[in-house]
Amino acid sequence: MTAKNSIRLRAIEPEDLDLLYQIENNQDLWNVGTTNVPYSRYTLHDYIATSADDIYADRQVRLVIENREGQTVGLCDLMHFDPQHQRAETGIVILDSQRRKGYARAAVDELCRYALRVLHLHQLYAIVEEGNLAACTLFRQAGFSEQARLGDWLFDGRHYHDALLLQRFL
């Protein structure tokens, strides 16, 4: 399967509650983001129900990544949206069973197109743990460049890890 045009991004639906619950409560992912507590189904259901799906109101948007067959393969986010400076942070999670199929790269490319053409953003950035070689490679191949090393930026519960600030102008 070629990665080009192999995915589509769509809004989160109530039917995605189990997926969201699985990803948000996966402790292996906590050290790559800012989440470090489990979320209840009620909290996640409330998030889905009350989200305006408007990046200007919520300052974030979470999108489901589907493959060509309509299977959910992951989630991607635009967060810390700053309309004044026309930028947002991005993040992506691909389900373990769907990795190494080109979905992450296709999703980042599509998210960049959406950010430019629909939201008219000037830049996206990602903060990635320095040792997460797959994510660093993904963002670099998608045109992001390293702008800074953030010392002891991420804490995994036992150790601090440096992170890279990767940025792409759209």
Side-chain angles (χ1 to χ4, degrees):
M1 172 185 292
T2 63
K4 189 129 179 101
N5 300 322
S6 63
I7 60 98
R8 79 178 186 107
L9 303 178
R10 65 164 176 81
I12 289 185
E13 300 287 349
E15 296 79 20
D16 297 313
L17 178 61
D18 288 338
L19 170 71
L20 196 56
Y21 185 81
Q22 172 189 351
I23 289 174
E24 291 294 347
N25 290 298
N26 182 344
Q27 292 184 19
D28 293 337
L29 299 175
W30 288 0
N31 66 327
V32 298
T34 57
T35 299
N36 62 358
V37 296
Y39 285 98
S40 69
R41 286 185 186 280
Y42 176 82
T43 300
L44 295 172
H45 180 273
D46 190 53
Y47 165 77
I48 292 171
T50 60
S51 173
D53 288 330
D54 178 355
I55 196 167
Y56 288 91
D58 296 335
R59 295 293 192 242
Q60 67 177 358
V61 65
R62 175 165 279 178
L63 300 165
V64 173
I65 306 164
E66 287 185 345
N67 66 13
R68 189 175 301 164
E69 291 77 33
Q71 297 171 300
T72 299
V73 299
L75 294 173
C76 59
D77 298 285
L78 291 175
M79 56 218 156
H80 303 123
F81 170 62
D82 185 333
Q84 177 183 358
H85 300 294
Q86 298 175 309
R87 67 177 171 240
E89 182 178 354
T90 187
I92 185 167
V93 174
I94 301 294
L95 298 174
D96 288 343
S97 64
Q98 300 298 324
R99 292 185 179 163
R100 301 200 179 286
K101 297 180 180 180
Y103 296 136
R105 175 61 193 273
V108 170
D109 288 346
E110 186 61 28
L111 195 61
C112 288
R113 280 191 289 278
Y114 172 74
L116 176 64
R117 295 179 185 160
V118 177
L119 301 176
H120 308 290
L121 294 184
H122 174 63
Q123 61 182 290
L124 292 178
Y125 66 93
I127 297 175
V128 179
E129 195 259 310
E130 183 178 44
N132 186 342
L133 300 180
C136 290
T137 300
L138 166 69
F139 284 108
R140 285 183 175 123
Q141 288 179 347
F144 287 69
S145 60
E146 182 180 331
Q147 298 300 312
R149 175 174 268 96
L150 306 168
D152 287 353
W153 197 257
L154 300 170
F155 184 63
D156 67 9
R158 290 173 291 171
H159 303 97
Y160 287 94
H161 300 271
D162 291 353
L164 300 178
L165 172 63
L166 301 164
Q167 178 184 40
R168 177 175 166 179
F169 293 102
L170 302 174

